[in-house]
Amino acid sequence: MPADLQEKTDRYERMLADALDAAEARPPADTPLGVAAAECREMATSYLDDGRHFREADDPVNALAAYSYGYGWLDAGVRMGLFEVPADTELFTV
């Protein structure tokens, strides 16, 4: 049975927003790794904003893609150690 596009888009938007709330940058902001963490967060936030724009334009396919890309940026940052996340979260692949 295929996934419902609306439900999946809703879920990925919530997941990205929750992940952005949960992730805290590890390195000091004035270091090269701090800059990398800020850039990952900025990309994830931009994709969240883009996804919401696509949803408002009744374009759920591109909204879902934007949420997925944003989550990928943040999750990659977590895996590289740029962000600290709660140990009990299931939001990341750590």
Side-chain angles (χ1 to χ4, degrees), residues 39-91:
E39 289 174 352
C40 284
R41 178 176 292 282
E42 180 180 357
M43 290 300 294
T45 301
S46 294
Y47 276 116
L48 179 62
D49 293 342
D50 289 349
R52 289 176 174 165
H53 169 78
F54 287 127
R55 287 191 87 167
E56 289 175 10
D58 197 29
D59 186 354
V61 171
N62 280 317
L64 178 58
Y67 298 144
S68 298
Y69 279 117
Y71 185 80
W73 272 93
L74 198 58
D75 193 49
V78 170
R79 292 183 61 86
M80 288 186 289
L82 297 177
F83 298 100
E84 186 170 338
V85 295
D88 62 345
T89 187
E90 294 181 9
L91 288 169

Side-chain angles (χ1 to χ4, degrees), residues 15-34:
M15 187 173 71
L16 177 53
D18 290 347
L20 280 163
D21 287 342
E24 297 290 331
R26 278 186 162 168
D30 60 347
T31 65
L33 289 176

